[in-house]
Amino acid sequence: MIVYDTRFNANEWFVIVGLCVGVVLTVVFPKRFSRQVAAVFFMCGVYSGFFFDHSLSVEPVSFYDVNDVSKFQMMDFISYWMYGAVSYFFFYIYDRLQPKASYIPLYILVWSLACMGAEWIAVLCGVYHYSHGYKFIYCFPIYLLVQSAWMALYYTFKRKGFV
């Protein structure tokens, strides 16, 4: 087990503030979706974060660790909920703007870059610790892939009349 930090400091504050701001904004913004659809859109971020963190940060080759130590802790679990607001607002803003289909790649690109910016701040705060040759830039195609899947989900829900 690798210990990066033993104090309550920037990485915990980043997660707590990110989670609180995201949840408050999710609750305060005008409702655009039914509760069920909003919950699915929120859980897309939670699930995506959990899936990729546990795919890339587990043995035999752990490409990065989250927060203070290399083993799973409660703050790691809390950090997954922080991603929920990101996915919710990905869907919310897209639904609000209703851009032409030709702008979907640009929308995904902008969101992927924004997520890279947020991740860079998280790295500076000590939330992520990369290892075994893994680099920050490797996250970019993951964001592109995840948000493309989210867009496919949005249009599936739209075809079914849920949105």
Side-chain angles (χ1 to χ4, degrees):
M1 180 174 76
I2 301 169
V3 177
Y4 297 100
D5 190 4
T6 58
R7 293 172 283 136
F8 189 94
N9 51 19
N11 62 319
E12 288 89 2
W13 281 115
F14 181 90
V15 170
I16 291 169
V17 169
L19 176 63
C20 290
V21 167
V23 169
V24 166
L25 289 176
T26 301
V27 170
V28 169
F29 267 58
K31 306 301 176 234
R32 293 198 66 81
F33 312 113
S34 69
R35 285 182 191 242
Q36 295 88 348
V37 170
V40 169
F41 288 167
F42 190 90
M43 290 305 293
C44 282
V46 176
Y47 172 77
S48 298
F50 187 82
F51 177 80
F52 281 100
D53 278 358
H54 285 271
S55 296
L56 297 171
S57 68
V58 295
E59 298 299 333
V61 179
S62 176
F63 290 109
Y64 63 88
D65 295 320
V66 180
N67 289 311
D68 291 339
V69 297
S70 58
K71 71 175 191 167
F72 187 76
Q73 293 185 303
M74 180 57 81
M75 191 56 71
D76 300 347
F77 177 75
I78 293 169
S79 73
Y80 299 131
W81 292 90
M82 179 179 60
Y83 301 131
V86 173
S87 61
Y88 178 79
F89 282 106
F90 175 89
F91 294 109
Y92 186 99
I93 293 169
Y94 186 82
D95 189 67
R96 175 86 168 86
L97 294 176
Q98 291 292 310
K100 295 178 184 177
S102 61
Y103 287 107
I104 291 173
L106 179 61
Y107 186 79
I108 292 170
L109 177 65
V110 168
W111 269 91
S112 295
L113 290 171
C115 288
M116 290 292 288
E119 184 162 334
W120 179 247
I121 294 168
V123 168
L124 294 176
C125 290
V127 176
Y128 302 108
H129 308 276
Y130 304 125
S131 60
H132 296 101
Y134 192 84
K135 298 192 183 339
F136 169 73
I137 196 65
Y138 297 166
C139 299
F140 187 64
I142 294 171
Y143 287 122
L144 292 172
L145 175 71
V146 166
Q147 292 166 357
S148 295
W150 290 352
M151 192 58 69
L153 176 67
Y154 175 84
Y155 276 100
T156 299
F157 275 30
K158 193 164 181 91
R159 266 192 312 281
K160 301 277 185 185
F162 300 142
V163 176

